[in-house]
Amino acid sequence: MGDCQKVDDRLVLSGEFTIEHAADLKAFLAETAAAGGPGLVDLTRVTRAGISLFQLLISFVTTMEASGFNVRFTGLNEYLTSLAETAGVRDALAPHIAEGG
């Protein structure tokens, strides 16, 4: 599984996030949401991902926003942007992409 860390005011995801490790990522994001954030998710270091990554991130956004927190994503490189488009979730992510992406 990729690595998930809380660093200052952001969540940093790095490495691989495929379906095989979705349960671990789901647990990390649920714990983070229960703690109220942080709301900036840095995807710069994600090297491989599956559609499950985006499904879990969208669920995280929904949970956080229901509690009054704002979520932004940064580090969506060409690979992740293409994957989001292929998965049909690019439009759902678009409002949450931080400036500079």
Side-chain angles (χ1 to χ4, degrees), residues 13 16 18 24 30 44 47 52 58 63 67 78 87:
L13 305 184
E16 297 186 8
T18 55
D24 295 329
T44 305
T47 56
S52 60
I58 290 168
T63 301
S67 297
E78 187 175 319

Side-chain angles (χ1 to χ4, degrees), residues 40-41 43 54 57-58 61 65 70-76 80-85 88-101:
L40 180 64
V41 181
L43 303 170
F54 295 115
L57 290 175
I58 290 168
V61 166
E65 287 184 341
N70 191 20
V71 176
R72 292 282 178 248
F73 300 110
T74 188
L76 271 92
L80 291 175
T81 301
S82 176
L83 182 61
E85 190 165 322
V89 298
R90 188 163 93 54
D91 290 344
L93 293 174
H96 305 284
I97 297 173
E99 222 175 282

Side-chain angles (χ1 to χ4, degrees), residues 4-83:
C4 307
Q5 294 183 21
K6 295 177 190 174
V7 179
D8 299 322
D9 64 342
R10 61 194 171 114
L11 299 179
V12 178
L13 305 184
S14 57
E16 297 186 8
F17 291 92
T18 55
I19 190 68
E20 295 85 4
H21 309 292
D24 295 329
L25 178 59
K26 180 180 179 182
F28 176 78
L29 292 174
E31 178 183 310
T32 301
L40 180 64
V41 181
D42 185 346
L43 303 170
T44 305
R45 298 179 185 164
V46 173
T47 56
R48 186 170 171 229
I51 294 169
S52 60
L53 171 67
F54 295 115
Q55 292 168 325
L56 291 170
L57 290 175
I58 290 168
S59 177
F60 178 68
V61 166
T62 302
T63 301
M64 291 288 285
E65 287 184 341
S67 297
F69 296 98
N70 191 20
V71 176
R72 292 282 178 248
F73 300 110
T74 188
L76 271 92
N77 58 32
E78 187 175 319
Y79 165 71
L80 291 175
T81 301
S82 176
L83 182 61

